[in-house]
Amino acid sequence: MGGESSRGVLSSERQARRADYQQEPDLPSLYKDVASDFCETVTVPEQLPNVLGRAMRTAMARRSVTAPIIPADVLPYATGSI
């Protein structure tokens, strides 16, 4: 799936979720103390390989905890389930 089309779908899903559901926690704020070396949210599926690679390299090089955050609405597009 192309980047532009998945961005549009994800954006509309996020807007709908904000209107219908309880607000999600701010995960970067929750993880900042334990994953201070690397904490990043994947916003589009195309970012996933790069973010995961950087998280793993950072964790190994610095021997620290990292937190790549993958929202539930991004994961199906990243795995090809949709």
Side-chain angles (χ1 to χ4, degrees), residues 44-80:
V44 293
E46 294 81 11
Q47 290 179 318
L48 190 59
N50 187 33
V51 170
L52 289 178
R54 287 179 29 224
M56 289 188 288
R57 286 190 301 273
T58 300
M60 292 172 59
R62 297 182 183 173
R63 300 184 67 90
S64 63
V65 175
T66 60
I69 300 168
I70 307 166
D73 60 341
V74 173
L75 192 58
Y77 291 96
T79 60

Side-chain angles (χ1 to χ4, degrees), residues 10-42:
L10 295 176
S11 177
S12 63
E13 287 176 5
R14 284 194 182 112
Q15 288 174 353
R17 187 174 39 187
R18 274 185 238 142
D20 297 334
Y21 298 100
Q22 182 177 8
Q23 186 175 355
E24 290 185 6
D26 182 16
L27 294 177
S29 292
L30 290 174
Y31 294 138
K32 69 181 175 186
D33 291 335
V34 293
S36 60
D37 287 334
F38 184 91
C39 182
E40 190 167 323
T41 302
V42 175

